[in-house]
Amino acid sequence: MTIRNKIEMRNVFKSFGTKHVLQGINLDIPVGSSMVIIGGSGTGKSVMLKCVLGLIQADKGSIKVDGQEMIGSSTRAREEMMKKFGMLFQGGALFDSLPVWYNVAFGLIHGKDMGKKDARILAIEKLESVGMGEAIADLYPAELSGGMQKRVALARAIATNPEIIFFDEPTTGLDPIMADVINELIGKCVKNLGATALTITHDMASAKKIADHIAMIHEGKIVWTGPVEDLEKSGNPYVDQFIHGRADGPITDPQSNLLKSA
Amino acid sequence: MVLAIEPMKKYPWRLNNLHVKHGVMNAAVELLREKIPFVQSMCQAIGHSIINVVQALGSITMFVLQTLRHCLTPPIFIKHVLRQFIDIGYYSLPVVGMTALFTGMVLALQSYTGFSRFNAESAIASVVALSITRELSPVLAGLMVAGRVGAAIAAEIGTMRVTEQIDALSTLSVNPTKYLVVPRVIAGTIMLPILVLIGDIIGVYGGYIVSTHVLGFSSGSYLYQTWQVLENMDIISGLVKAAAFGFLVTLMGCYHGYNSGRGAQGVGRATTNAVVTASILILIFNYLLTQVFFS
Ligand SMILES: Nc1ncnc2c1ncn2[C@@H]1O[C@H](COP(=O)(O)OP(=O)(O)OP(=O)(O)O)[C@@H](O)[C@H]1O
Ligand SMILES: [Mg+2]
């Protein structure tokens, strides 16, 4: 039997106290595809990624990666599984006590036992692929601009050529040209390296560019999922409202009031 | 019983003839019923804090077991251990040295007041030597290091938690306990005894300075007396205590930092908790270890 889905989520629930963030997520991500998640701010997109990674313990449900159940699995099994993953955190999460090149090379040195010299060369290659280079390799993350930090974090996420890559808002805070470079880079990771990508973004142009499939999350559930070509003609009121950025529609929770006043 | 409620509401503390009719027991029940919200919330508060304490103990125990397991299984990040030796050990030398010096000096001065009527010279040397090596050097060094190192560890690891750097470690296939906690705990457990040994020497020397220069005793007999009174066990017990304190301080720093709440406030609270719990544990374990060694 071949496994068609890299990741399968079934009825995933997660609450923080009385705050019910995920309320039964069902989502399949086919092998080698690029899935984009859209949805309002604070609807639990980042929490969902962290549940898959086991950084947040889901309350209920099933998350399978390569057919292997992640919820309730042993620490060792999860650590083994982590080697397949790369993650770009929304806030970057760079190690601020280490220079930029070491940040990028971290997974190579500690996860793949690569020598420091080779790792540094590879790290600088990865930095070049995100539009930076040797010049910043020896700086510390605090010495970089926000957008540069984001790109370093991106370089770190893809440095080990992982099978599954999560991008949490990769283009937020970048200028339009650099955003397009990043979009292309993500496309390249999927097409050339055969990785499975899961990207969170608010940027519809970028979503259309990198996605094979799109899923929309609202109030802790996936309300629509389908191929990117169908996005415009989804017939789903949530999706229509979201992609056109309209103030009136079924999405009326307090967070989207921000959208209204804008 | 129902009748009794009305007057009860006005004067719940006063018994009236209705109460007498219905019996004192009923009155008491009514009184209690009126107070139920209060009693309930009190029980709830007590219950909550008991649950919290049990939960904290459980999670600390798990944390300790995990740390010990990772201490014993390779790989160990040797370079990080060495760096922590410098951070925890070397940079704590000045503060531990100063504490020991002045403690030794003040001990000599104070015990002179008390012992001047007796055989002051030999008594002061013994008091200084014994109290420094057995108690003061380990406890004060422990408390000083708790303030200096425990706080720094909690702040550093807490910041890493808040900025998701600890999550990032896991996604890069590095176990955060192994990478962050183990080197600090190993370094603390090894370095504190060394600091205390140095503190012992400086403390005794402090007493010696005051005795010879201020109180005018002969230096030869002071040193001889110190040598006479000290036994191996005095020093060893102090060093064992120091190792325990070093473990506790670094462990508390790591534990509170690792479980830090969100935001700057969370890190601040983690830092405070690390220092407070470490200090209290030092005092408790000091008593327990003293009982083990000297009873
Ligand atoms: N560790 C946590 N403790 C308590 N609540 C949390 C925690 N992490 C997230 N939340 C809550 O879960 C909700 C979803 O958060 P999440 O970060 O997933 O939003 P998001 O969809 O990624 O939003 P954005 O697009 O703004 O990044 C938020 O309301 C947040 O307050
Ligand atoms: Mg998010």
Side-chain angles (χ1 to χ4, degrees):
Chain A
M1 187 195 107
T2 53
I3 300 159
R4 285 179 48 248
N5 292 326
K6 198 75 177 168
I7 300 175
E8 289 182 6
M9 287 180 247
R10 290 284 173 275
N11 271 318
V12 178
F13 282 80
K14 177 68 200 178
S15 306
F16 295 101
T18 56
K19 190 167 207 163
H20 306 296
V21 180
L22 302 183
Q23 306 177 47
I25 294 274
N26 287 297
L27 189 64
D28 290 340
I29 302 165
V31 172
S33 73
S34 172
M35 168 80 78
V36 166
I37 311 276
I38 56 174
S41 192
T43 46
K45 304 183 294 295
S46 301
V47 169
M48 186 177 90
L49 291 196
K50 286 183 189 165
C51 282
V52 178
L53 290 167
L55 300 175
I56 293 178
Q57 217 71 41
D59 298 334
K60 243 191 342 196
S62 146
I63 299 175
K64 283 187 178 156
V65 177
D66 279 339
Q68 203 176 323
E69 181 60 53
M70 295 292 280
I71 295 181
S73 64
S74 70
T75 320
R76 179 146 306 170
R78 189 146 5 98
E79 275 173 11
E80 215 37 58
M81 193 55 90
M82 276 299 181
K83 297 206 168 131
K84 296 184 182 177
F85 283 97
M87 165 92 180
L88 165 67
F89 286 86
Q90 190 170 359
L94 293 174
F95 304 125
D96 43 26
S97 59
L98 300 175
V100 164
W101 78 267
Y102 201 100
N103 263 283
V104 178
F106 198 91
L108 298 168
I109 293 170
H110 294 294
K112 305 220 153 171
D113 295 320
M114 191 183 271
K116 279 198 178 156
K117 274 219 180 82
D118 296 338
R120 187 186 156 102
I121 292 168
L122 240 167
I124 289 173
E125 264 173 39
K126 292 290 174 188
L127 283 172
E128 276 160 2
S129 73
V130 294
M132 293 181 296
E134 183 137 29
I136 60 140
D138 292 306
L139 298 180
Y140 282 84
E143 297 170 291
L144 303 180
S145 77
M148 288 162 97
Q149 289 179 6
K150 192 114 211 180
R151 286 185 279 156
V152 173
L154 191 86
R156 182 177 73 179
I158 60 174
T160 54
N161 293 336
E163 292 172 35
I164 309 167
I165 322 178
F166 290 171
F167 301 102
D168 198 341
E169 308 201 0
T171 54
T172 311
L174 300 184
D175 64 77
I177 299 167
M178 198 40 75
D180 206 52
V181 171
I182 300 301
N183 289 338
E184 256 160 39
L185 184 73
I186 293 173
K188 240 189 267 170
C189 285
V190 177
K191 292 204 177 71
N192 300 359
L193 305 175
T196 306
L198 184 57
T199 310
I200 294 173
T201 187
H202 293 294
D203 176 356
M204 293 317 296
S206 141
K208 283 174 194 161
K209 188 145 195 177
I210 53 185
D212 301 328
H213 297 273
I214 292 207
M216 166 135 185
I217 184 170
H218 180 65
E219 288 186 344
K221 289 200 177 85
I222 301 288
V223 290
W224 184 80
T225 172
V228 63
E229 303 84 51
D230 293 354
L231 187 65
E232 296 289 347
K233 46 183 194 300
S234 68
N236 184 302
Y238 295 102
V239 176
D240 277 344
Q241 186 191 350
F242 192 83
I243 62 176
H244 296 118
R246 279 198 294 262
D248 41 36
I251 306 174
T252 52
D253 58 19
Q255 276 104 351
S256 13
N257 285 339
L258 291 175
L259 206 125
K260 271 180 200 174
S261 58
Chain B
M1 234 170 92
V2 181
L3 284 173
I5 294 173
E6 280 319 305
M8 280 297 299
K9 280 218 168 106
K10 258 188 186 159
Y11 309 107
W13 57 90
R14 216 182 270 167
L15 288 179
N16 56 26
N17 47 2
L18 274 172
H19 289 119
V20 178
K21 230 185 248 167
H22 288 277
V24 180
M25 274 311 284
N26 272 350
V29 166
E30 286 307 327
L31 220 156
L32 205 62
R33 186 163 294 168
E34 279 221 330
K35 297 281 182 205
I36 271 177
F38 172 72
V39 172
Q40 251 176 355
S41 70
M42 201 169 76
C43 288
Q44 247 169 21
I46 294 173
H48 263 303
S49 48
I50 291 176
I51 289 173
N52 283 345
V53 167
V54 172
Q55 242 170 13
L57 281 180
S59 82
I60 289 179
T61 312
M62 289 303 293
F63 193 83
V64 172
L65 291 179
Q66 227 173 54
T67 304
L68 292 180
R69 188 166 64 84
H70 282 292
C71 279
L72 300 175
T73 51
I76 300 284
F77 290 94
I78 299 290
K79 262 196 183 159
H80 289 237
V81 178
L82 295 179
R83 219 185 57 222
Q84 293 303 325
F85 276 164
I86 309 265
D87 271 1
I88 296 176
Y90 183 70
Y91 288 123
S92 295
L93 257 180
V95 62
V96 170
M98 291 297 271
T99 313
L101 181 69
F102 283 101
T103 309
M105 286 167 68
V106 83
L107 263 180
L109 216 53
Q110 283 284 15
S111 36
Y112 178 70
T113 342
F115 288 125
S116 56
R117 276 162 288 167
F118 311 106
N119 189 0
E121 209 156 324
S122 67
I124 290 176
S126 325
V127 166
V128 170
L130 288 184
S131 38
I132 286 281
T133 53
R134 284 184 176 190
E135 290 291 332
L136 292 172
S137 182
V139 170
L140 292 179
L143 293 175
M144 285 306 194
V145 170
R148 208 192 81 82
V149 173
I153 290 177
E156 189 178 350
I157 296 185
T159 306
M160 293 187 73
R161 160 66 69 202
V162 169
T163 55
E164 298 180 319
Q165 291 179 52
I166 293 185
D167 290 342
L169 276 177
S170 318
T171 64
L172 293 165
S173 312
V174 171
N175 186 298
T177 308
K178 218 173 199 57
Y179 188 80
L180 295 173
V181 179
V182 167
R184 287 171 170 80
V185 171
I186 290 181
T189 313
I190 294 177
M191 286 320 279
L192 210 64
I194 297 177
L195 283 172
V196 164
L197 193 61
I198 297 171
D200 284 351
I201 296 166
I202 296 179
V204 168
Y205 184 65
Y208 168 82
I209 293 175
V210 170
S211 300
T212 53
H213 292 276
V214 181
L215 306 175
F217 296 156
S218 97
S219 81
S221 70
Y222 186 93
L223 289 179
Y224 176 76
Q225 193 59 37
T226 303
W227 193 249
Q228 281 291 302
V229 75
L230 272 184
E231 285 174 20
N232 287 342
M233 204 49 199
D234 298 322
I235 295 174
I236 290 171
S237 72
L239 297 186
V240 171
K241 281 179 178 180
F245 299 164
F247 180 78
L248 288 172
V249 166
T250 44
L251 187 83
M252 283 299 115
C254 292
Y255 172 79
H256 288 287
Y258 201 83
N259 295 299
S260 160
R262 314 180 87 190
Q265 203 180 18
V267 177
R269 198 167 304 144
T271 311
T272 312
N273 287 344
V275 176
V276 171
T277 49
S279 305
I280 289 175
L281 284 176
I282 284 176
L283 296 176
I284 294 175
F285 273 77
N286 182 47
Y287 175 78
L288 296 176
L289 288 172
T290 306
Q291 193 153 48
V292 169
F293 278 116
F294 297 108
S295 66

